[in-house]
Amino acid sequence: MNIKRAKEEIKNTIEAYLLKNVYGEYEIPAIRQRPVLLLGAPGIGKTQIMEQIAKECQVGLVSYTITHHTRQSAIGLPFISKKEFGGKEYAVTEYTMSEIVASIYEKMEKTGLSEGILFIDEINCVSETLAPAMLQFLQCKTFGSHEIPGGWIIVAAGNPPEYNKSVREFDVVTMDRVKKIEVEPDFEVWKEYAYKQNIHPAVISYLNARPRYFYRMETTVDGRKFATPRGWEDLSRMLEVYEKLHKTADREMIVQYIQHEKIAKDFANYLELYEKYQMDYQIEAVLEGKIDDILIKKAAHASFDERLSVISLLLSRCTGQFRRVFLKEQELAVLFEKLRELKEGFLGLHRSQPQIWMAESVASMQGEYEQKKQAELLTREEDQIYRLALELLERYALELEKVEAQDGDGAFALVKTWFGKEQDTLEEMQDGAEQMLEHVFDFMELVFGTGQEMVVWITELNSNYYSVRFLQEYDCERYYRYNKELLFEESSRSIEARLQEL
C-alpha cells in the first residue's frame, strides 16, 4: 500500500487500541494489541508519518533507531540483588531499567501525556547480540524485565533485505504476533503531501514531468545510486534557503541530496531553465493581468516541458497566496474563540476591570500555547498560526492599556473594532487571490485554449491542498466548468484507449 493508506491504517489501529470501555479498561487488552511492523524502502516517509500521526492523535511519541543501541542500553545493565526463597537468601541478577523504557516515562512526565507511540526504526537490522531482545520486545512488549507502559503502542519499521545487507528475517512465531504493513513509493500520494508542506515548486514540476525519478534505487559497480522522497524534500528546503541567501544551486550541491548523478545533473539543468522561464514569461505581470501578444506567441510555440514549467510557476504563485489566506483564516479562527471568552468576562464578572481581564486572557492563551508546544502536539504550521493569534491578542491588550478607563462594554467594543480590521485584511487577501486566479485563467485560455495544458492546470489545482481549500469558498465559474468538461473528456479518452487495447 502507499504511505497515505499506511498512515490511515496506523491511525485506525491507535484509535482502536486506545478505546476504553465504561470501566476505563482498553477494549483490546494489551496482550492482544499487536505491534505494527512497517516494511518499506528507505526514504519513503515511514518516520515522517509517525510524527504526523502522534500530533493528529494528540499522543506522545518516543522514537529510536535501534541500530544505534547496544544490548545493555536496550535491556538495561545487570546488578546483583539479594532475595529470600524457602528461608534462604540468594544472590539474584536483576537489570536496571532499559534506556528506552525510561525514555517513555520521561516523555510522560515532560508532556503530561499518558498514552503514546513507541517507534523503533530499523528493527530488522540489529546486531546479533541484540536480535533476541528485539524478538522478545515484539512478542512480549518488554525490554529485558521491564514492560512497555500501558497505553503505549509499539510501531516498528524496517527495510526489505534488498536495501540493506544487515536485514534479519523474523521467524513465523514473531511475524504471527505483529500487524505487518508493506509500504511502496507512490508519487501522486507524495505530491498531495508536497503541496501541503510547501515543497519547492521546481521539485514538484520536475517530478510531474519525470515521475520515474521520484524514487530510484540502483546497484552499480560503483555502489548504490538513489533518489528518494526524503532526498527531494530535504533538497527543497535547501533550495528555499539558497534563494533567500541569493546563492545558486548547482549539480555539485544537488547530488549531495539526490545521490544519483544522472538525475542530479538532469534536475540541475531543469532548475536553471525553470528560473529562466520565470523572467522570460513575466510571471508577475501575468498574475496582475498584463499579458502582451509577444508572450502569447512565445508560450504557444514552446515545447510541452516548457509549458508545464510555466504552469508550475503560475501555480506556485497562486498557491503561495492561497496558503497565506488559509493561515490568516486559521489565525482569526483561533483568535475568535479567545474573543468569545473575553466577551463573557467583559460583559460579566470583569465588567469593571477589563484591562486586568484582558491581561489574564493573554496569560491564559500563552499558557495554552506553551503546554501544547511542550507536549509536542503542534505541527510547524499550527505553531505559526497559534503564535500569530497570540501576538494579535497581546497587541490588543497593549492598545487597551493606552486608552482612558473603560468599562467592559467599551473595552469589548474596541476589541471588536480591532478584530474587524483583521477581517478586512483577510477579505483583501481573498480578493487578491481571486483576481490572481482569474488572471491565470485568462492567460491559459489565450495561450492554450482547452488543450492538454488546461487539463494539467485543472488537475494540479485539484491535487493542491491550499487551492482545494480556497476553491471550496470561492465560486470560480471557469474552474468548475473546465473541471467538469475537460476531466470528463480526459476520462472518456482514457476509456476509449483502453477499449482499443482490449
Side-chain angles (χ1 to χ4, degrees):
M1 65 178 68
N2 60 50
I3 198 73
K4 182 179 180 181
R5 178 62 192 278
K7 177 182 174 181
E8 182 183 342
E9 286 294 323
I10 297 171
K11 284 184 68 175
N12 291 341
T13 300
I14 289 170
E15 290 177 15
Y17 285 178
L18 297 182
L19 183 65
K20 295 179 180 179
N21 61 22
V22 292
Y23 302 107
E25 301 164 335
Y26 291 111
E27 289 281 1
I28 301 177
I31 192 68
R32 296 297 175 199
Q33 293 183 3
R34 291 189 172 201
V36 177
L37 178 59
L38 274 175
L39 291 176
I44 62 175
K46 298 188 295 293
T47 305
Q48 185 80 13
I49 64 168
M50 296 316 304
E51 297 173 2
Q52 298 169 18
I53 290 168
K55 287 179 171 63
E56 290 170 20
C57 293
Q58 298 285 284
V59 296
L61 174 66
V62 172
S63 182
Y64 271 92
T65 301
I66 201 65
T67 49
H68 299 165
H69 284 267
T70 63
R71 184 175 183 275
Q72 289 76 16
S73 64
I75 70 172
L77 295 170
F79 67 92
I80 304 299
S81 68
K82 300 290 184 179
K83 289 195 175 182
E84 190 175 296
F85 301 105
K88 291 183 180 181
E89 190 177 74
Y90 296 89
V92 180
T93 301
E94 294 191 44
Y95 288 84
T96 58
M97 181 177 283
S98 158
E99 177 187 320
I100 296 172
V101 176
S103 294
I104 296 176
Y105 284 106
E106 288 173 0
K107 177 69 74 169
M108 291 165 68
E109 187 175 327
K110 176 184 175 183
T111 64
L113 299 171
S114 60
E115 298 174 326
I117 303 166
L118 172 59
F119 178 62
I120 305 294
D121 201 6
E122 298 183 8
I123 195 166
N124 58 350
C125 300
V126 295
S127 64
E128 187 173 345
T129 57
L130 192 52
M134 288 301 98
L135 295 178
Q136 180 193 19
F137 166 66
L138 289 174
Q139 292 178 17
C140 308
K141 303 183 181 67
T142 62
F143 274 115
S145 57
H146 300 281
E147 293 185 5
I148 304 301
W152 281 75
I153 293 151
I154 298 169
V155 180
N159 299 324
E162 61 265 30
Y163 297 105
N164 195 321
K165 295 178 182 178
S166 304
V167 165
R168 296 173 176 275
E169 288 192 26
F170 293 137
D171 55 36
V172 174
V173 175
T174 302
M175 293 304 293
D176 195 35
R177 286 176 165 83
V178 301
K179 282 184 56 148
K180 187 178 79 168
I181 298 176
E182 296 188 29
V183 190
E184 297 177 350
D186 187 317
F187 173 61
E188 291 303 319
V189 167
W190 182 83
K191 188 165 71 171
E192 289 180 33
Y193 164 83
Y195 276 129
K196 191 172 182 181
Q197 294 298 317
N198 209 24
I199 296 296
H200 197 285
V203 171
I204 298 177
S205 177
Y206 176 78
L207 293 176
N208 263 333
R210 298 164 178 80
R212 64 189 181 279
Y213 292 158
F214 167 63
Y215 189 93
R216 289 290 285 269
M217 188 72 66
E218 298 174 6
T219 303
T220 69
V221 292
D222 299 321
R224 290 278 181 141
K225 294 183 178 181
F226 55 89
T228 68
R230 179 166 53 206
W232 287 115
E233 181 168 2
D234 291 345
L235 173 62
S236 167
R237 300 305 173 209
M238 185 58 78
L239 289 176
E240 291 173 8
V241 175
Y242 261 44
E243 287 175 358
K244 291 177 181 177
L245 296 173
H246 305 290
K247 293 181 181 293
T248 301
D250 57 16
R251 186 183 66 81
E252 282 72 21
M253 186 278 269
I254 292 167
V255 80
Q256 296 165 24
Y257 294 88
I258 307 304
Q259 296 181 44
H260 190 296
E261 291 182 5
K262 178 184 175 183
I263 299 175
K265 182 180 179 181
D266 192 47
F267 179 70
N269 293 336
Y270 180 86
L271 185 62
E272 188 175 342
L273 287 172
Y274 188 85
E275 292 168 351
K276 179 176 179 292
Y277 295 152
Q278 187 164 315
M279 298 299 297
D280 289 354
Y281 284 92
Q282 307 165 32
I283 298 300
E284 296 301 330
V286 171
L287 295 172
E288 293 173 5
K290 302 170 184 175
I291 308 169
D292 60 38
D293 293 337
I294 297 175
L295 183 61
I296 294 172
K297 291 178 182 178
K298 180 179 177 61
H301 292 88
S303 67
F304 188 65
D305 271 8
E306 188 170 326
R307 295 179 185 187
L308 287 181
S309 297
V310 173
I311 293 171
S312 175
L313 284 164
L314 294 168
L315 181 67
S316 70
R317 291 295 189 277
C318 289
T319 299
Q321 185 66 10
F322 297 155
R323 185 172 185 270
R324 285 187 285 274
V325 169
F326 170 79
L327 290 175
K328 190 66 178 179
E329 286 174 342
Q330 297 303 304
E331 171 194 341
L332 295 188
V334 171
L335 184 59
F336 180 75
E337 289 302 314
K338 205 64 190 174
L339 295 187
R340 289 176 64 179
E341 297 176 18
L342 270 174
K343 180 180 179 181
E344 291 181 13
F346 281 146
L347 307 183
L349 294 175
H350 304 276
R351 182 185 293 271
S352 61
Q353 295 178 312
Q355 283 89 351
I356 294 175
W357 172 235
M358 177 63 105
E360 289 177 357
S361 297
V362 170
S364 172
M365 188 174 182
Q366 180 71 44
E368 291 170 9
Y369 168 68
E370 293 296 339
Q371 185 179 6
K372 288 177 179 290
K373 192 174 180 66
Q374 182 78 4
E376 300 174 356
L377 296 177
L378 296 173
T379 64
R380 188 174 181 180
E381 191 175 78
E382 289 168 344
D383 183 84
Q384 180 182 351
I385 290 166
Y386 221 101
R387 280 190 292 153
L388 288 170
L390 182 56
E391 286 172 7
L392 276 178
L393 194 65
E394 289 172 339
R395 196 174 78 199
Y396 294 170
L398 289 173
E399 291 296 325
L400 197 59
E401 288 179 359
K402 294 177 184 178
V403 298
E404 296 181 5
Q406 295 276 343
D407 61 9
D409 293 291
F412 181 69
L414 285 172
V415 171
K416 189 176 178 180
T417 301
W418 297 329
F419 184 73
K421 291 179 180 178
E422 294 300 324
Q423 290 178 308
D424 292 341
T425 301
L426 172 60
E427 289 181 10
E428 290 174 6
M429 293 171 68
Q430 290 170 332
D431 290 342
E434 290 170 9
Q435 291 175 12
M436 187 179 289
L437 183 61
E438 295 295 348
H439 290 154
V440 174
F441 269 109
D442 291 340
F443 174 82
M444 296 293 295
E445 288 177 340
L446 284 169
V447 178
F448 307 122
T450 59
Q452 187 68 17
E453 294 81 4
M454 184 67 84
V455 175
V456 171
W457 167 245
I458 295 296
T459 302
E460 292 307 300
L461 284 177
N462 290 336
S463 303
N464 189 310
Y465 175 81
Y466 295 107
S467 62
V468 170
R469 289 285 304 239
F470 183 78
L471 287 163
Q472 286 174 345
E473 301 295 329
Y474 171 53
D475 187 17
C476 178
E477 185 273 331
R478 284 186 288 186
Y479 163 76
Y480 290 108
R481 173 159 48 88
Y482 286 123
N483 193 58
K484 183 178 179 180
E485 294 174 2
L486 295 178
L487 298 186
F488 175 76
E489 290 174 9
E490 188 72 11
S491 177
S492 299
R493 284 194 293 269
S494 176
I495 292 170
E496 288 172 5
R498 179 61 178 156
L499 286 172
Q500 288 176 0
E501 288 177 10
L502 294 172

